[in-house]
Amino acid sequence: MTVDPGDKRLAAAVVMDDDGRVLLVRRSATERFLPRVWGVPCGKLEPDELPEDGALRELKEETGLLGEIVRKIGESSFVSEYRGSEVKNWQDNFLVRPLTLEITLPEPDQAYLWLPPSELASAGIDIDAYNLDVVRQALTNF
């Protein structure tokens, strides 16, 4: 993956429990990017942070969960807008096994669900195609 200095690097954690269910978190209404949309824990990497470490850090920050990387499942990219400029976002995606199960969400209007993969498309939740593709990477390589 070739990343330019102005590009953003991200990491995502597709958390799958021992029953094969996937964790989805609904973003807060106060988020600038994709408010109230369901997705997997994900966020921007710190400078010089390894993607694996970033995925686990974001998981802890966004859910309170501790996890361990099972394996890298793929990469994704998308373009977003920041202060009137387009930014290319490069994302490493990881399958993660939870080491703890008590979820604590940072904002009161957030929610979470553990869903069997077969219910992802039919659960009546607002999950965007990008997050759905990240989850499918995990299921394809499961």
Side-chain angles (χ1 to χ4, degrees), residues 96-117:
V96 175
R97 184 175 74 84
L99 298 176
T100 57
L101 294 175
E102 187 174 332
I103 294 179
T104 307
L105 301 173
E107 299 295 331
D109 69 333
Q110 289 185 276
Y112 70 90
L113 287 171
W114 288 98
L115 281 180

Side-chain angles (χ1 to χ4, degrees), residues 63-85:
T63 67
L65 292 179
L66 299 178
E68 70 177 0
I69 301 289
V70 176
R71 70 182 165 280
K72 183 174 178 178
I73 55 172
E75 298 172 352
S76 305
S77 64
F78 63 96
V79 175
S80 63
E81 190 176 306
Y82 182 71
R83 295 184 179 166
S85 299

